[in-house]
Amino acid sequence: MDEAQLRSLTPSVLGILVRRGADFAAAEDAVQDALVEAVRVWPASPPRDPKGWLVTAAWRKFLDATRADAARRRREDRVDEEPAPGPAPAVDDTLQLYFLCAHPSLTPSSAVALTLRAVGGLTTRQIAHAYLVPEATMAQRISRAKRTVSDVRFDQPGDVATVLRVLYLVFNEGYSGDIDLAAEAIRLTRQLAAVIDHPEVAGLLALMLLHHARRASRTAPDGSLVPLAEQDRGRWDTGAISEGVRILQAALARDRLGEFQAQAAVAALHADAPTAEETDWVQIVEWYDELARLTDSPVVRLNRAVAVGEADGARAGLAELAALDESLPRYAAVAAYLHERDGDPATAARLYAEAARKAPNLAERDYLTRQAARLNADGPR
């Protein structure tokens, strides 16, 4: 077939491509490409159906061109969307996600679990380990939290008080557990304090800094727990303590006392004492009185019993303890300490052993077990 005969097939092939959905200009280009291909290959291998061959070749040329054009457009779009050269702006939405996860429909404990999973990126196993609960229990807790918020609008974030509670619990989990979330909680609370002028936000930041300042001295080189009275105060971070005290003083000056400010005041009194013996326990008792008024928390009253025992003697502390529920976490440990101070090592040893069985983590269990063993070794033979 000569070139003129090929050209005579062009209108028919072009019409078929247009009817198949190709726009006219693209179809025309595809047909021309197919004709060039025909001139190249037909002399050596002429087709039995020239028109069918041209239709097939032209349609393939059209599809190839369409795909290539689409790919080019995608590349151009990606180039247009790329940021300009230079440093990228730092955008951190973590705190905003905390507000969303601290939805009003969730309890604080559920909000913490959901936040650790959704924002912190921890696995359910890691969160369960931090909470010292079985993985299945934590999986159920997170699932319930997800179901709770599945039908609510996430443009209704939690209020500041809920977010503070979540940050406080996250800090505690990181501070006392094996998963170090304390520094991240401090970072986020700093961000919150920078945008919200509220004394309780400042109080929480001060509390975190004052506790975190003692972090390096809380454990011995072998990983064993070192109680506050025995810690090397030379290892405390004086810079963090100074900052925490300064922030706390500014918050207290606004005369809008809240739970976190009161807790920070207790921590500041511990940090201010050059030695454990010089701790102002009388003031600490007064701050625990404020905390009990603000929270009506049995845990606060348990801690207050310890402070009373230090300020007014172990017998007074035991009297305060007698009014509390024995099922409280660490009740047995407090009772053991006060009984030892009151000169009753046998009862103290028994209570230390009981407290060890109930300890929430391995370090605390080992410490309480050693205390019981020490008293038993010193007892009658």
Side-chain angles (χ1 to χ4, degrees), residues 198-368:
H198 192 288
E200 271 295 81
V201 177
L204 178 58
L205 179 57
L207 175 63
M208 289 179 174
L209 290 170
L210 290 165
H211 277 301
H212 204 59
R214 305 198 301 259
R215 185 73 180 270
S217 64
R218 292 184 71 250
T219 55
D222 62 359
S224 60
L225 186 67
V226 180
L228 177 60
E230 300 173 19
Q231 289 177 14
D232 179 0
R233 300 187 178 218
R235 298 184 65 195
W236 289 1
D237 184 343
T238 55
I241 291 173
S242 297
E243 183 186 6
V245 169
R246 175 179 55 77
I247 293 171
L248 173 62
Q249 288 174 337
L252 291 174
R254 300 176 67 174
D255 198 23
R256 292 167 57 190
L257 184 63
E259 173 188 355
F260 296 123
Q261 295 169 75
Q263 286 194 56
V266 171
L269 286 167
H270 283 299
D272 188 54
T275 65
E277 293 73 23
E278 296 174 85
T279 303
D280 190 342
W281 287 105
V282 173
Q283 274 205 70
I284 288 177
V285 171
E286 292 174 354
W287 279 113
Y288 274 125
D289 288 338
E290 293 288 350
L291 265 172
R293 179 181 61 81
L294 289 166
T295 66
D296 194 28
S297 166
V299 174
V300 168
R301 297 188 184 280
L302 183 68
N303 292 332
R304 182 183 179 279
V306 176
V308 169
E310 298 288 353
D312 301 328
R315 192 67 55 87
L318 286 169
E320 295 289 334
L321 191 65
L324 301 177
D325 187 345
E326 295 184 7
S327 66
L328 280 172
R330 296 187 172 90
Y331 180 99
V334 171
Y337 174 75
L338 291 173
H339 276 287
E340 182 181 0
R341 290 285 308 276
D342 194 41
D344 186 356
T347 300
R350 176 178 58 79
L351 288 168
Y352 274 130
E354 178 186 338
R357 291 191 295 270
K358 299 177 180 178
N361 57 64
L362 181 60
E364 191 169 333
R365 186 187 71 188
D366 289 348
Y367 170 77
L368 293 168

Side-chain angles (χ1 to χ4, degrees), residues 150-222:
S150 62
D151 296 326
V152 300
R153 293 176 60 84
F154 269 88
D155 57 356
Q156 298 174 356
D159 61 12
V160 174
T162 303
V163 172
L164 287 179
R165 177 62 54 185
V166 171
L167 287 169
Y168 173 66
L169 294 174
V170 169
F171 176 82
N172 282 344
E173 292 301 333
Y175 187 71
S176 60
D178 295 329
I179 301 172
D180 191 356
L181 300 171
E184 173 68 357
I186 291 174
R187 183 184 73 84
L188 293 172
T189 306
R190 284 190 187 279
Q191 286 187 7
L192 189 60
V195 297
I196 296 179
D197 183 19
H198 192 288
E200 271 295 81
V201 177
L204 178 58
L205 179 57
L207 175 63
M208 289 179 174
L209 290 170
L210 290 165
H211 277 301
H212 204 59
R214 305 198 301 259
R215 185 73 180 270
S217 64
R218 292 184 71 250
T219 55
D222 62 359

